[in-house]
Amino acid sequence: MSAKPPIRRLARRLTTATALLAATAGVLSTAAAPAGAHDRGPGNGHRHDRTVDVQMLSFNDFHGNLEPPQGSSGTVTEAEPDGTKKVVPAGGMEYLASSLRSARKGHEYSVTAAAGDLIGASPLMSGLFHDEPTIEAMNKLGLDVTSVGNHEFDEGRAELTRMQKGGCHPKDGCYEKGRKFRGADFPYLAANVTDEKTGKPILKPYTVWKHKGVKIGFIGVTLKGTPDVVTAEGVKGLKFGDEVQTINKYADELNRQGVKAIVALVHEGGYPASGAYNYNCDTPGAGAGISGPIVDIAKHVTPKVAALVTGHTHAAYSCTIPDPSGAPRTVTSAASFGRLYTDTTLTYDLRTNNIVRTAVKAPHAVNHVVSRQQPKAKDMTKLIARWNKLAAPVANKPVGYISADINGRGAAGDGEEPLGDVITDAQLEALSPAAKGGAQIAFMNPGGIRSDLAYKASGSEGDGVVTYGEAFTVQPFTNMMQVKSLTGAQVIKVLQQQVTGPNEAEPKVLQVSNGLTYTLDLTKKGADRIVTSSVKLNDAPIDPAKTYRVAANEFLMGGGDGFPVFKDGTDKLVGPSDLDVFVAYLTAHSSKAAPLAPPKADRITVIK
C-alpha cells in the first residue's frame, strides 16, 4: 500500500511508446456519454413521520483498476456457513458500475462516497494516461465525493489539482484529438493537507450533500503518515495534520453552519482478524475483531460524526467501534480494486437534521461483492475499449512467459512471495556488474508489488504470456534503482526495521534476492524477531564490520515504509528503473518453450 515516485517518469522511458500513441491519437473521435450522470432510480426513500433512510454507497482504494484485476487481486474470500471459505472472482469498473446502479434503484436518497486512492499505482491502461481514464469513469459512475489518499500525491500537488480541475497534462498534452480532460465532477476532500506557507487546505476540507431537505456533511482526510509512504517530491511544500484533530475541528465548523449529520472519509484503516469479506468483526464484542490505526482514530473522533468510511489497508470490514461517549459507531472498508462496495443505511431525522444513532445502535452497513456474473455497464465497456485502443501499442507487447501463476500480493501468507523473489533477483542481476554498482543484495518493499503475474491470458495474447501491460501492473511506479554501500550491521538493522518502530505492529517483510537467508521468529518481540545468527549471504554469516553493496528502489533508499537506515548508505549509484529491470529479466529468463516457473520462496524461514 505504500506509494513511490510518480508515473511521470514514463515519459523518460517510453519514447517509442509516445510515438506510437501519438500515431493513434485522434483515431477515436466518438463522443463519450455525458460525465457525471448518476443513473439513479426514481423510487422513494423509506419515509416515516419524521425520518427518511439515506443510502450511502461507498468504496476505497480503486487504484485505477478499470479492468478486472488478475490473480488474487481479483478475488475476495467468502466465509461459508459450514466454516469453509470460498474464493469469488470480483471487481472491474463494468461490474462496479452495474452493482452501484442496481443498488440505487428504489432509493430516492442515495449518495456515493469513496475514501481515497482512486488513482495511483494503477494498471497501464490508466497509469499510462496519468489516470485520466479513471477520473472519467468515476464521473460516469456518479461518485459524489471522495477523500484524498496517499496515492493521490504520487505525482505531486499540481497533478492532483489537475485531477480535480481538469486540463491537459503539462508535458504529455491531450491524448485524443478534440478532447480535453475535464477533471473530476466530484470534490476531492483534503481537510488535513495544508500548504506549509499559508496553513490553508490545498483542496476543500469538506462538502455538504443536499437532497430534498436532507443535508449530510462529508469531511475527508488522508493518513497523517502520508509523507512516510510517498516520495519527498510528491509531498513537497505540504503538511499533513492529525486525522482526529482535523475531523473534530471541521465537525464543529459544520455544526456551526447548521449541518448536524456528518460522515468522515478517512484514508487510514485497520486489519480484521479474518480475511473473509463477510467476517463479523464485532465478535465477540463491538470492534473486538479489528486492529490497526483506525481503531484508535474511531475511538477519539467526536460523536458528532455518525459514521467512518475508511481505506488504505485494502481490508474488508464493517464494524461498530465505540465513540468517545461509548455509543457504537459504524466503521467500514470495502477492500480494494472495486471488488466490494459498502451499503450503509443512514436514518435521517428531518426535525433534528441529524442521523439517528442511539446508545446501542449504529447505522447498518453491509459489504457486497462486485460479482462478475452480472451484466456489464455498457458505457464503461465503451470507455475501457477506447482507452485500451490508445494503450494497445505499448500494453500488448509480449515480454516474457510463465508456467503458472506467480503470486506477489500476499497469497503465500508468510511475507515472502514468489514474485518478490523474481523481482529482487532481477534487480540483483541488473546491478551486480561492477560498472552497474556491484550489488550483492537486493531488497524490495512488499507494497510496491501491486499484482500477481497470472498464467491465464488477460486478453488475446495466450495463456502464460506476460505482456508489457501486465508487467507494468506489477511495478507501476517506475522507481529508479539505486546501489549503496551498507555495513553488515546496517543490513541487519534493515531486517530489524521490518518488525520494529512503525512496522512493529504490522511487520513489513522485505523481499530479498537469491543468496540472502535468515529466520524470522514471530513468537518473539521487536528486534529479537530477527535471529541475527541466521542472517547469511551465500551461506556465510553477515559480518557486521564488512561493507556490502545493496540494491533497492529509490523509495526504499530514501527511507520509505519505515526503513530509515537505507538513507545512511554511501557511494550511491543510480541505475535503470525497476520496471525496466523487471521486464529485461522476464525477457532474458523465459521463452515460449522454456517459461519461467514460480520460485520456491524459501529464503526467509518463518517461525510462528
Side-chain angles (χ1 to χ4, degrees), residues 7-15 18 130 171-172:
I7 292 170
R8 59 181 170 74
R9 299 247 169 83
L10 276 171
R12 243 169 28 196
R13 302 178 300 96
L14 294 180
T15 305
T18 303
H130 299 276
K171 292 183 179 180
D172 295 346

Side-chain angles (χ1 to χ4, degrees), residues 300-381:
H300 290 89
V301 164
T302 174
K304 294 173 183 177
V305 173
L308 280 71
V309 176
T310 74
H312 188 57
T313 60
H314 291 203
Y317 48 84
S318 176
C319 308
T320 55
I321 298 176
D323 68 19
S325 74
R329 178 165 52 194
T330 301
V331 180
T332 64
S333 174
S336 60
F337 309 149
R339 294 174 292 165
L340 299 175
Y341 72 91
T342 309
D343 190 336
T344 304
T345 300
L346 304 172
T347 300
Y348 187 93
D349 190 313
L350 294 166
R351 297 183 190 178
T352 64
N353 295 320
N354 207 344
I355 294 166
V356 177
R357 189 163 65 93
T358 69
V360 295
K361 185 178 180 181
H364 180 65
V366 179
N367 277 328
H368 297 280
V369 177
V370 176
S371 170
R372 297 184 198 165
Q373 301 302 312
Q374 61 183 313
K376 298 178 180 180
K378 293 181 180 179
D379 59 337
M380 296 301 180
T381 301

